[in-house]
Amino acid sequence: MLVGGDLGFLSSLVVAAFMAVFGPVSGFMVRRKWRRSVARRDEIKRLLVLASEEAAMVELQAAEEYGYDYGYRCESLKEEYEVFVETPASSAPPPTISTSYSGSFN
């Protein structure tokens, strides 16, 4: 099929206009989707951390209700079982322990 007229310059102009208008628009759309996906991924990670901390706290509270003691307390239960540690009265430095090996068993 023959086309009347020269489309060389006109087609180049149409393609350039199309790229000038829709190139930046598509670039902004891709950039926006990329940023939203990164923000969504970070939010999911933050929520997973919060959920695991809450699950650990609930588990410790439930264990304490049944009388189990893991050696540490939840922050919410800390006020009930406040323990004060006194500093030693003597100001002498602690004894040093030698870690060198002489090679003999004395």
Side-chain angles (χ1 to χ4, degrees):
M1 182 167 128
L2 294 174
V3 178
D6 184 23
L7 296 179
F9 178 72
L10 184 60
S11 65
S12 301
L13 187 64
V14 169
V15 169
F18 182 79
M19 292 301 291
V21 172
F22 292 109
V25 171
S26 63
F28 286 130
M29 288 175 51
V30 168
R31 180 177 162 202
R32 180 175 178 227
K33 286 184 179 268
W34 183 271
R35 285 187 174 187
R36 291 181 99 188
S37 68
V38 168
R40 189 178 301 124
R41 184 181 65 219
D42 291 343
E43 180 71 13
I44 289 171
K45 285 181 182 179
R46 186 183 70 82
L47 290 174
L48 284 173
V49 168
L50 287 176
S52 65
E53 288 174 354
E54 184 178 357
M57 185 173 56
V58 168
E59 184 179 337
L60 287 175
Q61 287 175 350
E64 190 165 286
E65 286 179 11
Y66 287 107
Y68 298 117
D69 189 15
Y70 289 116
Y72 50 89
R73 304 276 182 213
C74 295
E75 292 297 322
S76 63
L77 303 174
K78 194 174 187 180
E79 295 129 11
E80 293 180 24
Y81 305 103
E82 195 78 29
V83 177
F84 296 102
V85 179
E86 295 181 15
T87 57
S90 68
S91 62
T96 59
I97 300 173
S98 175
T99 58
S100 62
Y101 178 67
S102 64
S104 64
F105 298 104
N106 290 338

